[in-house]
């Protein structure tokens, strides 16, 4: 921006940074002189801050929230860096999912902003071209990506101001395609209302019972994996220890409860009375079903 690093912007530097492909050179020149209240033909930081601070409006709250969000993310990243290595596999799994969900939310927010930028820029271009007949107002985006963004955000927020563009008929030529997108969004919404159950079982086994326990565990896992509603089962043995961590993924809580009443599950639990050094520790957690779908595609 300030290519001479002198703390000031010449008009050429200003035009290079602020040109958006919509304002003409004359309009940029007029804006430059409006901001240049010191009449020096150069803009300093105070002049730029003074001008834009007068026009922030609702974006003052947005920028403040982004600053807080940035601090929160950095704080979370710092804690993740410190704690992740020492966490259990289940805790690491949850951390990865939360990172993915945070990234998805930020991408969605970015898509909304990009769509708003493209829409407002195109609206200004058409206003400069003069009034057109209604059939000539169809906006040609660069591919269908922008349409997807607009439809997704409109379907999620009925009060979205960009929804009026859809209702105005601007996107009539893609109406059937957009209906399909809406149906997909509803499917995703239904998925997010469902949850899967993750069960973590920590088992500390007596050294002399290791072989018998392994045999019982293998039989238990074979039976459980064949059970309706069981999504996945994995086991981890901690290095240099007789401690096992069992991860079970079930379609929902009731399926897991029914599983606990089966003969093979009761047999495994009875055997653990003799195999384990201490009673097993069971932890459960519900996560959105859509996470499982995304993680396995």
């Amino acid at each position: 921006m300030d290519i001479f690093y002198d703390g000031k912007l010449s008009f050429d530097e200003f035009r290079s940074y602020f040109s958006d492909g919509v304002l003409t050179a004359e309009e940029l020149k007029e804006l430059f002189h409006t901001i240049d209240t010191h009449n020096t033909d150069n803009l300093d930081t105070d002049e730029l801050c003074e001008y834009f601070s007068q026009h922030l409006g609702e974006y003052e709250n947005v920028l403040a929230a982004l600053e807080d969000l940035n601090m929160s993310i950095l704080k979370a990243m710092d804690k993740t860096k410190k704690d992740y290595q020492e966490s259990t596999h289940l805790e690491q799994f949850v951390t990865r999912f939360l990172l993915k969900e945070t990234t998805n939310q930020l991408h969605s927010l970015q898509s909304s902003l990009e769509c708003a930028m493209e829409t407002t820029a195109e609206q200004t271009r058409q206003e400069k071209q003069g009034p057109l007949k209604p059939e000539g107002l169809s906006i040609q985006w660069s591919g269908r990506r922008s349409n997807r963004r607009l439809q997704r955000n409109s379907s999620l927020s009925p009060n979205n101001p960009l929804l009026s563009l859809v209702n105005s008929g601007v996107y009539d030529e893609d109406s059937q395609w957009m209906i399909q997108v809406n149906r997909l969004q509803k499917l995703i919404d239904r998925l997010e209302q469902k949850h899967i159950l993750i069960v973590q079982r920590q088992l500390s086994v007596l050294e002399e019972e290791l072989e018998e326990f392994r045999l019982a565990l293998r039989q238990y896992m074979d039976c459980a994996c064949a059970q309706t509603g069981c999504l996945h089962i994995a086991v981890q043995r901690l290095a240099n220890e007789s401690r096992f961590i069992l991860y079970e993924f079930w379609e929902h809580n009731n399926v897991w409860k029914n599983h606990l009443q089966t003969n093979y599950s009761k047999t495994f639990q009875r055997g653990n009375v003799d195999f384990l050094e201490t009673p097993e520790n069971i932890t459960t957690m519900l996560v959105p079903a859509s996470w499982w779908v995304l993680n396995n595609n």
Side-chain angles (χ1 to χ4, degrees):
M1 183 176 176
D2 180 13
I3 61 175
F4 296 113
Y5 303 101
D6 57 0
K8 299 180 180 179
L9 290 181
S10 66
F11 175 68
D12 288 338
E13 291 172 322
F14 175 84
R15 179 175 57 187
S16 175
Y17 185 79
F18 286 97
S19 179
D20 63 354
V22 178
L23 290 183
T24 64
E26 291 76 14
E27 289 170 326
L28 283 170
K29 190 75 172 179
E30 181 181 352
L31 175 61
F32 179 84
H33 287 300
T34 299
I35 300 174
D36 181 23
T37 55
H38 299 164
N39 297 318
T40 59
D41 286 330
N42 286 287
L43 302 182
D44 56 35
T45 304
D46 290 339
E47 288 174 315
L48 286 168
C49 291
E50 174 72 20
Y51 179 79
F52 284 104
S53 64
Q54 297 173 11
H55 300 82
L56 286 177
E58 286 300 317
Y59 287 92
E60 181 175 3
N61 294 330
V62 172
L63 294 174
L66 286 175
E67 184 176 356
D68 291 340
L69 176 62
N70 183 54
M71 293 300 297
S72 296
I73 291 177
L74 291 177
K75 183 178 179 180
M77 294 301 95
D78 185 58
K79 182 170 178 58
T80 298
K81 180 180 178 181
K82 293 177 180 177
D83 298 347
Y84 185 82
Q85 192 67 32
E86 302 301 323
S87 301
T88 66
H89 275 215
L90 180 59
E91 291 169 337
Q92 291 178 350
F93 165 80
V94 173
T95 297
R96 293 194 302 273
F97 266 135
L98 292 176
L99 285 170
K100 181 187 294 185
E101 184 65 17
T102 301
T103 301
N104 290 339
Q105 293 294 334
L106 291 175
H107 283 168
S108 178
L109 178 60
Q110 180 180 352
S111 296
S112 299
L113 292 171
E114 289 175 351
C115 182
M117 288 170 58
E118 294 170 353
T119 302
T120 53
E122 185 62 33
Q123 180 180 341
T124 301
R125 290 191 190 98
Q126 293 205 6
E127 288 175 353
K128 288 190 173 186
Q129 293 172 2
L132 298 174
K133 296 180 181 180
E135 60 268 24
L137 292 177
S138 180
I139 298 175
Q140 300 299 321
W141 300 99
S142 55
R144 293 192 170 185
R145 182 183 176 193
S146 300
N147 285 356
R148 286 199 296 271
R149 288 201 300 263
L150 178 58
Q151 177 58 23
R152 177 178 62 199
N153 294 316
S154 297
S155 63
L156 289 175
S157 178
N159 297 321
N160 193 316
L162 298 179
L163 184 59
S164 60
L165 289 173
V166 177
N167 294 333
S168 68
V170 171
Y171 298 95
D172 283 347
E173 61 182 353
D174 284 328
S175 59
Q176 292 302 315
W177 175 81
M178 292 170 69
I179 289 173
Q180 297 300 320
V181 173
N182 231 3
R183 288 175 180 170
L184 178 60
Q185 181 62 56
K186 290 177 181 178
L187 174 61
I188 294 174
D189 291 341
R190 287 199 299 271
L191 275 174
E192 290 179 342
Q193 292 171 3
K194 297 181 180 179
H195 293 79
I196 64 171
L197 179 72
I198 302 175
V199 181
Q200 181 194 63
R201 305 174 66 170
Q202 299 187 39
L203 307 107
S204 298
V205 183
L206 294 167
E207 286 286 347
E208 61 271 20
E209 300 290 347
L210 270 177
E211 290 304 318
E212 289 294 326
F213 172 78
R214 284 175 174 171
L215 178 60
L217 177 60
R218 186 177 300 112
Q219 293 174 343
Y220 167 78
M221 291 180 63
D222 289 342
C223 293
C225 288
Q227 181 81 5
T228 301
C230 179
L231 300 173
H232 183 65
I233 293 183
V235 64
Q236 174 197 15
R237 181 182 178 183
L238 300 186
N240 302 320
E241 293 186 38
S242 298
R243 190 153 67 98
F244 294 77
I245 301 180
L246 194 62
Y247 300 96
E248 302 180 7
F249 298 78
W250 299 90
E251 283 187 354
H252 50 77
N253 193 54
N254 289 337
V255 171
W256 178 62
K257 288 181 178 179
N258 292 335
H259 147 77
L260 292 177
Q261 301 306 314
T262 61
N263 289 333
Y264 68 83
S265 178
K266 290 181 178 179
T267 299
F268 183 63
Q269 293 176 53
R270 283 195 297 268
N272 285 341
V273 174
D274 298 324
F275 298 148
L276 301 186
E277 184 177 355
T278 58
E280 69 173 298
N281 181 27
I282 299 180
T283 304
T284 62
M285 176 179 294
L286 288 172
V287 299
S290 57
W291 288 10
W292 176 263
V293 173
L294 290 172
N295 201 49
N296 287 274
N297 285 330

